[in-house]
Amino acid sequence: MRKVEVQLPANPYTATIEPGLLARAGELLREALPDRSRYFIITSPPVRKAWADTLTASLTNSNLMYSLIEMPDGERAKTLDTVRDLATKLIRRDTDRLSVVIALGGGVVGDVAAFLASIYMRGIAVVQVPTTFLAQVDAAIGGKTGVDLAEGKNLLGTFHQPRAVLIDPAVLSTVPERDYRSGLYEAMKCGIIRKPEIFEFMEQNRERVLQRDPAALEWLIAECVQVKADVVAADEREGGLRRILTFGHTVGHALEAETGYKQFLHGEAVAWGMVAASMISAAMQMSNSETARRIISSVLAYAPLPRVESRGKRIARRLANDKKTVNGVAHFVLPLEVGKVEIVADVPERAIVQAVEELRYLSQA
């Protein structure tokens, strides 16, 4: 078992990482939340089919009451309509302020369920039980919640820290191959922004990671969670340092929004965003060509990415609605070297357009 402490002054909590942990979730929740006994599990149909029985059996064994609530699967379900529907279901089940929401699923379930918990009766407790690699290494840690609008991703949201995060690498066995590979880019991001050992591990152990080797995954997840925990503890509400966690997300979010959230999985869009950021950094002479080449090569080695068909000028215009845009200026996280990045506010529009056009060419080669 690996434990990572998220050291926040007002809301500290623990992320626990262990294969087979889901079967002991009830026991761990009794320890983490001894004054709570009613749990409301929010999940999607595929995750319910694969893992809900394991979780509910553990709650039953610990004498914890639960109710299962389903929400639609996928990014297109990340809307206010979904939140409203889930809130109605909580009301009908007599959920009160001492109830706990369990988010059992990937990043979409985690974001929506936590957003719901943050506003239901002005805030009730949430526990994250992530079931995708992307959610395990990133989305479940840090308390960011949100839903999408047609104009962009996560434009409505809150900060609502979980009371506990339970990570079972064994659940990744049922994640479809494309979704699994998509999630790996969030791990690669952790290596590029802060801890080069993660990036080097992924460079040198590609086959082990792609084959879902248990030891490799446990190490990788724990190291990424530690990176996220350290950054969140230093900057809980994204006022400064935490913005480095959005590496690849500026162009990535724009690609998702431009294609109606239908063409790219989130990690795939972030992957192209990391490539674009590396190109922009090299073009602005903030990094050398070898750093850009190394990042781009590693990104492309991990998965065949969907084609980029959006034009550079349309993506540049999309950035006006990005959460990282302040006073009309888009903020980019650009790599200086592997393990070190800088937040930059003066990226010329022509550099953005050129990078996206290069993505178009690269994706069709």
Side-chain angles (χ1 to χ4, degrees), residues 37-261:
S37 62
R38 298 185 69 218
Y39 290 81
F40 294 83
I41 303 165
I42 295 178
T43 191
S44 62
V47 178
R48 178 175 185 169
K49 181 178 179 181
W51 297 110
D53 286 350
T54 304
L55 175 60
T56 57
S58 76
L59 297 179
T60 299
N61 291 339
S62 295
N63 296 316
L64 299 175
M65 295 182 291
Y66 68 86
S67 179
L68 267 169
I69 301 173
E70 280 193 6
M71 62 171 279
D73 196 32
E75 187 75 28
R76 281 177 284 178
K78 200 172 165 183
T79 66
L80 281 175
D81 286 340
T82 300
V83 174
R84 185 182 298 110
D85 179 62
L86 293 172
T88 300
K89 291 176 180 178
L90 288 183
I91 292 168
R92 290 173 179 170
R93 287 166 171 78
D94 298 323
T95 310
D96 59 30
R97 289 180 174 177
L98 291 179
S99 301
V100 181
V101 168
I102 296 179
L104 175 68
V108 170
V109 170
D111 280 358
V112 171
F115 181 59
L116 171 65
S118 75
I119 60 175
Y120 187 82
M121 294 186 173
R122 297 195 175 94
I124 62 175
V126 64
V127 170
Q128 292 282 357
V129 185
T131 60
T132 65
F133 191 85
L134 187 152
Q136 290 185 351
V137 300
D138 185 76
I141 312 295
K144 287 174 73 172
T145 80
V147 295
D148 303 334
L149 299 178
E151 291 76 11
K153 279 179 65 71
N154 299 322
L155 291 178
L156 299 180
T158 61
F159 287 94
H160 189 60
Q161 298 295 340
R163 296 292 297 273
V165 180
L166 306 181
I167 299 174
D168 185 348
V171 304
L172 299 177
S173 63
T174 60
V175 174
E177 184 69 13
R178 183 184 174 191
D179 296 76
Y180 174 71
R181 291 191 182 219
S182 171
L184 295 175
Y185 292 112
E186 290 288 353
M188 191 176 292
K189 177 197 76 176
C190 290
I192 296 168
I193 66 172
R194 196 166 175 94
K195 196 165 188 177
E197 292 88 347
I198 294 173
F199 187 83
E200 291 161 4
F201 181 87
M202 294 187 72
E203 278 186 315
Q204 298 164 13
N205 295 275
R206 178 178 174 275
E207 290 305 316
R208 289 180 64 199
V209 173
L210 289 178
Q211 291 169 7
R212 312 189 197 195
D213 175 77
L217 290 186
E218 186 172 359
W219 184 90
L220 195 55
I221 292 167
E223 292 299 313
C224 292
V225 169
Q226 187 66 65
V227 168
K228 184 78 179 278
D230 290 345
V231 172
V232 169
D235 179 19
E236 181 179 359
R237 292 183 174 264
E238 204 170 35
L241 176 66
R242 184 166 176 170
R243 288 188 292 172
I244 70 174
L245 294 169
T246 64
F247 173 61
H249 289 61
T250 306
V251 167
H253 280 175
L255 286 172
E256 288 182 280
E258 184 67 19
T259 55
Y261 307 103

Side-chain angles (χ1 to χ4, degrees), residues 1-3 16-31 54-55 57-59 61-62 64 166 168:
M1 179 187 291
R2 298 277 298 267
K3 290 191 175 186
T16 306
I17 306 138
E18 182 185 31
L21 174 147
L22 194 61
R24 298 199 304 108
E27 169 192 337
L28 295 171
L29 290 174
R30 272 225 172 272
E31 294 174 6
T54 304
L55 175 60
S58 76
L59 297 179
N61 291 339
S62 295
L64 299 175
L166 306 181
D168 185 348

